[in-house]
Amino acid sequence: MKNELTDIVGWSHFFLAEILQNGDAALDLTAGGGQDTLFLARQVCPGGKVLSIDIQAEAIARTSELLKESNINFFRYDGKTAGHKNANGVCLIHGSHDQVENFVKGELKCVIANLGYLPGGDKKLTTLKETTLVSLRKAAELIQSGGRMVVVAYVGHSGGLEEEREVSRFFRSLAETEWRVLKVMPWNRKNSPNLWVAERFFKPQPLTQK
């Protein structure tokens, strides 16, 4: 984590580094410039796997380049249902995060999402509250007991405040009998990003039919 107290992205990595180890499975719902994906890969690889999703081809290309420069093993999802779900390393997926169930097999140790727009990209292309909420609900169901979800939301762009409010409602709605939820935010900075950390401490077992 960076030394600056108000470095929200640094805090998001800190809360995940506490629980991640080699061999774990992790999911990045917003590949973006690749920094979160690279962080996850360094925590769980070579024995684990990271699935990294983004709807923008530019984000997948930038993440690919960053992983290549960092000597991280990665491959791109080719549209087939088999193969990538069992492979270790980083799997880059050009697709929408609200369809996460099509890409994930089994449970996850963590999920990360850095909302908003692609840094250095078109600021008009942002995550949307509707698809963000769907992806968070689906991803939360995939997190194993002892796993965590971290989400960073930005309010300074068009639609950002509305998305932040919906994300806040989502985390508030998580059952206190299953989840511990923390919100972190710089208190004296205008339009600062907000961070939620949700830890699943209990996961009910599905009912089996006799």
PDB file of all heavy atoms in Angstrom, residues 58-84:
ATOM      1  N   GLU A  58      -9.910  -1.280 -25.395  1.00  0.00           N
ATOM      2  CA  GLU A  58      -8.709  -0.532 -25.027  1.00  0.00           C
ATOM      3  C   GLU A  58      -8.207  -0.939 -23.641  1.00  0.00           C
ATOM      4  O   GLU A  58      -7.003  -1.048 -23.403  1.00  0.00           O
ATOM      5  CB  GLU A  58      -8.988   0.975 -25.046  1.00  0.00           C
ATOM      6  CG  GLU A  58      -7.773   1.817 -24.679  1.00  0.00           C
ATOM      7  CD  GLU A  58      -8.073   3.302 -24.612  1.00  0.00           C
ATOM      8  OE1 GLU A  58      -9.192   3.705 -24.986  1.00  0.00           O
ATOM      9  OE2 GLU A  58      -7.181   4.061 -24.177  1.00  0.00           O
ATOM     10  N   ALA A  59      -9.135  -1.178 -22.718  1.00  0.00           N
ATOM     11  CA  ALA A  59      -8.754  -1.585 -21.369  1.00  0.00           C
ATOM     12  C   ALA A  59      -8.084  -2.954 -21.387  1.00  0.00           C
ATOM     13  O   ALA A  59      -7.076  -3.174 -20.691  1.00  0.00           O
ATOM     14  CB  ALA A  59      -9.976  -1.612 -20.460  1.00  0.00           C
ATOM     15  N   ILE A  60      -8.613  -3.882 -22.149  1.00  0.00           N
ATOM     16  CA  ILE A  60      -8.012  -5.212 -22.251  1.00  0.00           C
ATOM     17  C   ILE A  60      -6.618  -5.112 -22.864  1.00  0.00           C
ATOM     18  O   ILE A  60      -5.675  -5.778 -22.410  1.00  0.00           O
ATOM     19  CB  ILE A  60      -8.906  -6.149 -23.087  1.00  0.00           C
ATOM     20  CG1 ILE A  60     -10.264  -6.339 -22.397  1.00  0.00           C
ATOM     21  CG2 ILE A  60      -8.221  -7.480 -23.316  1.00  0.00           C
ATOM     22  CD1 ILE A  60     -10.185  -6.966 -21.023  1.00  0.00           C
ATOM     23  N   ALA A  61      -6.459  -4.266 -23.878  1.00  0.00           N
ATOM     24  CA  ALA A  61      -5.154  -4.095 -24.514  1.00  0.00           C
ATOM     25  C   ALA A  61      -4.144  -3.498 -23.543  1.00  0.00           C
ATOM     26  O   ALA A  61      -2.986  -3.945 -23.474  1.00  0.00           O
ATOM     27  CB  ALA A  61      -5.296  -3.211 -25.755  1.00  0.00           C
ATOM     28  N   ARG A  62      -4.564  -2.502 -22.776  1.00  0.00           N
ATOM     29  CA  ARG A  62      -3.650  -1.871 -21.822  1.00  0.00           C
ATOM     30  C   ARG A  62      -3.276  -2.826 -20.695  1.00  0.00           C
ATOM     31  O   ARG A  62      -2.134  -2.862 -20.242  1.00  0.00           O
ATOM     32  CB  ARG A  62      -4.281  -0.591 -21.279  1.00  0.00           C
ATOM     33  CG  ARG A  62      -4.277   0.541 -22.294  1.00  0.00           C
ATOM     34  CD  ARG A  62      -5.105   1.729 -21.867  1.00  0.00           C
ATOM     35  NE  ARG A  62      -4.669   2.299 -20.599  1.00  0.00           N
ATOM     36  CZ  ARG A  62      -5.192   3.405 -20.074  1.00  0.00           C
ATOM     37  NH1 ARG A  62      -6.160   4.042 -20.718  1.00  0.00           N
ATOM     38  NH2 ARG A  62      -4.760   3.875 -18.926  1.00  0.00           N
ATOM     39  N   THR A  63      -4.249  -3.604 -20.247  1.00  0.00           N
ATOM     40  CA  THR A  63      -3.960  -4.581 -19.202  1.00  0.00           C
ATOM     41  C   THR A  63      -3.009  -5.651 -19.721  1.00  0.00           C
ATOM     42  O   THR A  63      -2.083  -6.072 -19.011  1.00  0.00           O
ATOM     43  CB  THR A  63      -5.265  -5.220 -18.694  1.00  0.00           C
ATOM     44  OG1 THR A  63      -6.133  -4.197 -18.194  1.00  0.00           O
ATOM     45  CG2 THR A  63      -4.992  -6.223 -17.591  1.00  0.00           C
ATOM     46  N   SER A  64      -3.209  -6.081 -20.950  1.00  0.00           N
ATOM     47  CA  SER A  64      -2.321  -7.066 -21.564  1.00  0.00           C
ATOM     48  C   SER A  64      -0.885  -6.563 -21.590  1.00  0.00           C
ATOM     49  O   SER A  64       0.057  -7.287 -21.250  1.00  0.00           O
ATOM     50  CB  SER A  64      -2.772  -7.383 -22.996  1.00  0.00           C
ATOM     51  OG  SER A  64      -4.064  -7.925 -23.028  1.00  0.00           O
ATOM     52  N   GLU A  65      -0.721  -5.310 -21.998  1.00  0.00           N
ATOM     53  CA  GLU A  65       0.615  -4.733 -22.097  1.00  0.00           C
ATOM     54  C   GLU A  65       1.279  -4.635 -20.725  1.00  0.00           C
ATOM     55  O   GLU A  65       2.479  -4.929 -20.581  1.00  0.00           O
ATOM     56  CB  GLU A  65       0.534  -3.355 -22.746  1.00  0.00           C
ATOM     57  CG  GLU A  65       1.886  -2.737 -23.089  1.00  0.00           C
ATOM     58  CD  GLU A  65       2.678  -3.558 -24.099  1.00  0.00           C
ATOM     59  OE1 GLU A  65       2.049  -4.249 -24.920  1.00  0.00           O
ATOM     60  OE2 GLU A  65       3.919  -3.488 -24.060  1.00  0.00           O
ATOM     61  N   LEU A  66       0.510  -4.236 -19.727  1.00  0.00           N
ATOM     62  CA  LEU A  66       1.055  -4.125 -18.380  1.00  0.00           C
ATOM     63  C   LEU A  66       1.495  -5.488 -17.850  1.00  0.00           C
ATOM     64  O   LEU A  66       2.568  -5.620 -17.246  1.00  0.00           O
ATOM     65  CB  LEU A  66       0.018  -3.509 -17.446  1.00  0.00           C
ATOM     66  CG  LEU A  66       0.452  -3.291 -15.993  1.00  0.00           C
ATOM     67  CD1 LEU A  66       1.621  -2.327 -15.915  1.00  0.00           C
ATOM     68  CD2 LEU A  66      -0.719  -2.786 -15.162  1.00  0.00           C
ATOM     69  N   LEU A  67       0.680  -6.511 -18.067  1.00  0.00           N
ATOM     70  CA  LEU A  67       1.035  -7.857 -17.612  1.00  0.00           C
ATOM     71  C   LEU A  67       2.263  -8.379 -18.338  1.00  0.00           C
ATOM     72  O   LEU A  67       3.133  -9.025 -17.730  1.00  0.00           O
ATOM     73  CB  LEU A  67      -0.148  -8.798 -17.822  1.00  0.00           C
ATOM     74  CG  LEU A  67      -1.401  -8.515 -16.987  1.00  0.00           C
ATOM     75  CD1 LEU A  67      -2.544  -9.411 -17.443  1.00  0.00           C
ATOM     76  CD2 LEU A  67      -1.127  -8.705 -15.504  1.00  0.00           C
ATOM     77  N   LYS A  68       2.344  -8.093 -19.625  1.00  0.00           N
ATOM     78  CA  LYS A  68       3.494  -8.524 -20.411  1.00  0.00           C
ATOM     79  C   LYS A  68       4.771  -7.874 -19.891  1.00  0.00           C
ATOM     80  O   LYS A  68       5.806  -8.549 -19.714  1.00  0.00           O
ATOM     81  CB  LYS A  68       3.280  -8.173 -21.884  1.00  0.00           C
ATOM     82  CG  LYS A  68       4.391  -8.638 -22.811  1.00  0.00           C
ATOM     83  CD  LYS A  68       4.067  -8.294 -24.255  1.00  0.00           C
ATOM     84  CE  LYS A  68       5.184  -8.754 -25.189  1.00  0.00           C
ATOM     85  NZ  LYS A  68       4.868  -8.416 -26.617  1.00  0.00           N
ATOM     86  N   GLU A  69       4.700  -6.585 -19.616  1.00  0.00           N
ATOM     87  CA  GLU A  69       5.871  -5.867 -19.098  1.00  0.00           C
ATOM     88  C   GLU A  69       6.291  -6.382 -17.727  1.00  0.00           C
ATOM     89  O   GLU A  69       7.462  -6.307 -17.361  1.00  0.00           O
ATOM     90  CB  GLU A  69       5.563  -4.371 -19.011  1.00  0.00           C
ATOM     91  CG  GLU A  69       5.382  -3.688 -20.360  1.00  0.00           C
ATOM     92  CD  GLU A  69       4.909  -2.260 -20.211  1.00  0.00           C
ATOM     93  OE1 GLU A  69       4.613  -1.844 -19.059  1.00  0.00           O
ATOM     94  OE2 GLU A  69       4.820  -1.556 -21.236  1.00  0.00           O
ATOM     95  N   SER A  70       5.317  -6.913 -16.972  1.00  0.00           N
ATOM     96  CA  SER A  70       5.570  -7.397 -15.617  1.00  0.00           C
ATOM     97  C   SER A  70       5.865  -8.896 -15.565  1.00  0.00           C
ATOM     98  O   SER A  70       5.982  -9.468 -14.476  1.00  0.00           O
ATOM     99  CB  SER A  70       4.365  -7.078 -14.726  1.00  0.00           C
ATOM    100  OG  SER A  70       4.068  -5.694 -14.739  1.00  0.00           O
ATOM    101  N   ASN A  71       5.968  -9.532 -16.748  1.00  0.00           N
ATOM    102  CA  ASN A  71       6.269 -10.966 -16.853  1.00  0.00           C
ATOM    103  C   ASN A  71       5.240 -11.827 -16.133  1.00  0.00           C
ATOM    104  O   ASN A  71       5.581 -12.803 -15.450  1.00  0.00           O
ATOM    105  CB  ASN A  71       7.673 -11.250 -16.312  1.00  0.00           C
ATOM    106  CG  ASN A  71       8.760 -10.596 -17.144  1.00  0.00           C
ATOM    107  OD1 ASN A  71       8.724 -10.645 -18.377  1.00  0.00           O
ATOM    108  ND2 ASN A  71       9.718  -9.965 -16.472  1.00  0.00           N
ATOM    109  N   ILE A  72       3.964 -11.446 -16.271  1.00  0.00           N
ATOM    110  CA  ILE A  72       2.864 -12.206 -15.688  1.00  0.00           C
ATOM    111  C   ILE A  72       2.206 -13.055 -16.780  1.00  0.00           C
ATOM    112  O   ILE A  72       1.859 -12.535 -17.849  1.00  0.00           O
ATOM    113  CB  ILE A  72       1.805 -11.278 -15.060  1.00  0.00           C
ATOM    114  CG1 ILE A  72       2.422 -10.442 -13.931  1.00  0.00           C
ATOM    115  CG2 ILE A  72       0.617 -12.079 -14.549  1.00  0.00           C
ATOM    116  CD1 ILE A  72       2.866 -11.224 -12.728  1.00  0.00           C
ATOM    117  N   ASN A  73       2.036 -14.337 -16.519  1.00  0.00           N
ATOM    118  CA  ASN A  73       1.391 -15.216 -17.479  1.00  0.00           C
ATOM    119  C   ASN A  73      -0.077 -14.840 -17.652  1.00  0.00           C
ATOM    120  O   ASN A  73      -0.822 -14.726 -16.677  1.00  0.00           O
ATOM    121  CB  ASN A  73       1.490 -16.669 -17.004  1.00  0.00           C
ATOM    122  CG  ASN A  73       0.782 -17.638 -17.943  1.00  0.00           C
ATOM    123  OD1 ASN A  73       0.961 -17.578 -19.153  1.00  0.00           O
ATOM    124  ND2 ASN A  73      -0.039 -18.517 -17.367  1.00  0.00           N
ATOM    125  N   PHE A  74      -0.517 -14.633 -18.895  1.00  0.00           N
ATOM    126  CA  PHE A  74      -1.917 -14.288 -19.145  1.00  0.00           C
ATOM    127  C   PHE A  74      -2.348 -14.826 -20.499  1.00  0.00           C
ATOM    128  O   PHE A  74      -1.537 -15.170 -21.354  1.00  0.00           O
ATOM    129  CB  PHE A  74      -2.127 -12.773 -19.094  1.00  0.00           C
ATOM    130  CG  PHE A  74      -1.550 -12.020 -20.270  1.00  0.00           C
ATOM    131  CD1 PHE A  74      -2.333 -11.707 -21.376  1.00  0.00           C
ATOM    132  CD2 PHE A  74      -0.222 -11.609 -20.267  1.00  0.00           C
ATOM    133  CE1 PHE A  74      -1.808 -11.009 -22.462  1.00  0.00           C
ATOM    134  CE2 PHE A  74       0.309 -10.918 -21.342  1.00  0.00           C
ATOM    135  CZ  PHE A  74      -0.476 -10.619 -22.438  1.00  0.00           C
ATOM    136  N   PHE A  75      -3.649 -14.920 -20.671  1.00  0.00           N
ATOM    137  CA  PHE A  75      -4.225 -15.309 -21.946  1.00  0.00           C
ATOM    138  C   PHE A  75      -5.587 -14.653 -22.058  1.00  0.00           C
ATOM    139  O   PHE A  75      -6.151 -14.181 -21.069  1.00  0.00           O
ATOM    140  CB  PHE A  75      -4.329 -16.829 -22.077  1.00  0.00           C
ATOM    141  CG  PHE A  75      -5.120 -17.495 -20.978  1.00  0.00           C
ATOM    142  CD1 PHE A  75      -6.443 -17.854 -21.164  1.00  0.00           C
ATOM    143  CD2 PHE A  75      -4.532 -17.765 -19.743  1.00  0.00           C
ATOM    144  CE1 PHE A  75      -7.171 -18.467 -20.158  1.00  0.00           C
ATOM    145  CE2 PHE A  75      -5.249 -18.388 -18.735  1.00  0.00           C
ATOM    146  CZ  PHE A  75      -6.567 -18.735 -18.931  1.00  0.00           C
ATOM    147  N   ARG A  76      -6.117 -14.613 -23.255  1.00  0.00           N
ATOM    148  CA  ARG A  76      -7.408 -13.981 -23.490  1.00  0.00           C
ATOM    149  C   ARG A  76      -8.496 -15.030 -23.682  1.00  0.00           C
ATOM    150  O   ARG A  76      -8.283 -16.048 -24.328  1.00  0.00           O
ATOM    151  CB  ARG A  76      -7.346 -13.063 -24.708  1.00  0.00           C
ATOM    152  CG  ARG A  76      -6.374 -11.899 -24.553  1.00  0.00           C
ATOM    153  CD  ARG A  76      -6.597 -10.851 -25.617  1.00  0.00           C
ATOM    154  NE  ARG A  76      -5.615  -9.782 -25.550  1.00  0.00           N
ATOM    155  CZ  ARG A  76      -5.719  -8.623 -26.178  1.00  0.00           C
ATOM    156  NH1 ARG A  76      -6.796  -8.381 -26.910  1.00  0.00           N
ATOM    157  NH2 ARG A  76      -4.788  -7.712 -26.076  1.00  0.00           N
ATOM    158  N   TYR A  77      -9.628 -14.750 -23.114  1.00  0.00           N
ATOM    159  CA  TYR A  77     -10.793 -15.625 -23.265  1.00  0.00           C
ATOM    160  C   TYR A  77     -11.206 -15.627 -24.722  1.00  0.00           C
ATOM    161  O   TYR A  77     -11.393 -14.581 -25.344  1.00  0.00           O
ATOM    162  CB  TYR A  77     -11.917 -15.102 -22.371  1.00  0.00           C
ATOM    163  CG  TYR A  77     -13.220 -15.849 -22.488  1.00  0.00           C
ATOM    164  CD1 TYR A  77     -13.265 -17.229 -22.333  1.00  0.00           C
ATOM    165  CD2 TYR A  77     -14.406 -15.172 -22.743  1.00  0.00           C
ATOM    166  CE1 TYR A  77     -14.466 -17.917 -22.424  1.00  0.00           C
ATOM    167  CE2 TYR A  77     -15.605 -15.847 -22.832  1.00  0.00           C
ATOM    168  CZ  TYR A  77     -15.631 -17.220 -22.676  1.00  0.00           C
ATOM    169  OH  TYR A  77     -16.820 -17.891 -22.769  1.00  0.00           O
ATOM    170  N   ASP A  78     -11.368 -16.826 -25.281  1.00  0.00           N
ATOM    171  CA  ASP A  78     -11.649 -16.940 -26.712  1.00  0.00           C
ATOM    172  C   ASP A  78     -13.121 -17.157 -27.034  1.00  0.00           C
ATOM    173  O   ASP A  78     -13.484 -17.462 -28.170  1.00  0.00           O
ATOM    174  CB  ASP A  78     -10.824 -18.068 -27.329  1.00  0.00           C
ATOM    175  CG  ASP A  78     -11.138 -19.432 -26.723  1.00  0.00           C
ATOM    176  OD1 ASP A  78     -12.061 -19.497 -25.879  1.00  0.00           O
ATOM    177  OD2 ASP A  78     -10.469 -20.406 -27.071  1.00  0.00           O
ATOM    178  N   GLY A  79     -13.991 -17.048 -26.015  1.00  0.00           N
ATOM    179  CA  GLY A  79     -15.406 -17.210 -26.249  1.00  0.00           C
ATOM    180  C   GLY A  79     -15.928 -18.604 -25.996  1.00  0.00           C
ATOM    181  O   GLY A  79     -17.133 -18.827 -26.040  1.00  0.00           O
ATOM    182  N   LYS A  80     -15.034 -19.538 -25.715  1.00  0.00           N
ATOM    183  CA  LYS A  80     -15.450 -20.907 -25.439  1.00  0.00           C
ATOM    184  C   LYS A  80     -15.721 -21.069 -23.947  1.00  0.00           C
ATOM    185  O   LYS A  80     -15.180 -20.359 -23.117  1.00  0.00           O
ATOM    186  CB  LYS A  80     -14.381 -21.893 -25.891  1.00  0.00           C
ATOM    187  CG  LYS A  80     -14.099 -21.843 -27.390  1.00  0.00           C
ATOM    188  CD  LYS A  80     -13.016 -22.823 -27.772  1.00  0.00           C
ATOM    189  CE  LYS A  80     -12.718 -22.758 -29.272  1.00  0.00           C
ATOM    190  NZ  LYS A  80     -11.637 -23.694 -29.660  1.00  0.00           N
ATOM    191  N   THR A  81     -16.550 -22.029 -23.599  1.00  0.00           N
ATOM    192  CA  THR A  81     -16.926 -22.228 -22.196  1.00  0.00           C
ATOM    193  C   THR A  81     -15.923 -23.080 -21.443  1.00  0.00           C
ATOM    194  O   THR A  81     -15.921 -23.095 -20.217  1.00  0.00           O
ATOM    195  CB  THR A  81     -18.300 -22.910 -22.105  1.00  0.00           C
ATOM    196  OG1 THR A  81     -18.250 -24.153 -22.813  1.00  0.00           O
ATOM    197  CG2 THR A  81     -19.367 -22.030 -22.721  1.00  0.00           C
ATOM    198  N   ALA A  82     -15.076 -23.801 -22.144  1.00  0.00           N
ATOM    199  CA  ALA A  82     -14.136 -24.703 -21.478  1.00  0.00           C
ATOM    200  C   ALA A  82     -12.724 -24.124 -21.516  1.00  0.00           C
ATOM    201  O   ALA A  82     -12.423 -23.215 -22.264  1.00  0.00           O
ATOM    202  CB  ALA A  82     -14.157 -26.069 -22.149  1.00  0.00           C
ATOM    203  N   GLY A  83     -11.863 -24.692 -20.700  1.00  0.00           N
ATOM    204  CA  GLY A  83     -10.453 -24.321 -20.750  1.00  0.00           C
ATOM    205  C   GLY A  83     -10.059 -23.255 -19.760  1.00  0.00           C
ATOM    206  O   GLY A  83      -9.355 -23.517 -18.790  1.00  0.00           O
ATOM    207  N   HIS A  84     -10.532 -22.027 -19.951  1.00  0.00           N
ATOM    208  CA  HIS A  84     -10.039 -20.917 -19.141  1.00  0.00           C
ATOM    209  C   HIS A  84     -10.457 -21.038 -17.679  1.00  0.00           C
ATOM    210  O   HIS A  84      -9.778 -20.537 -16.799  1.00  0.00           O
ATOM    211  CB  HIS A  84     -10.542 -19.592 -19.714  1.00  0.00           C
ATOM    212  CG  HIS A  84     -11.952 -19.262 -19.365  1.00  0.00           C
ATOM    213  ND1 HIS A  84     -13.021 -19.845 -20.003  1.00  0.00           N
ATOM    214  CD2 HIS A  84     -12.471 -18.439 -18.422  1.00  0.00           C
ATOM    215  CE1 HIS A  84     -14.138 -19.380 -19.483  1.00  0.00           C
ATOM    216  NE2 HIS A  84     -13.849 -18.542 -18.527  1.00  0.00           N
TER     217      HIS A  84
END
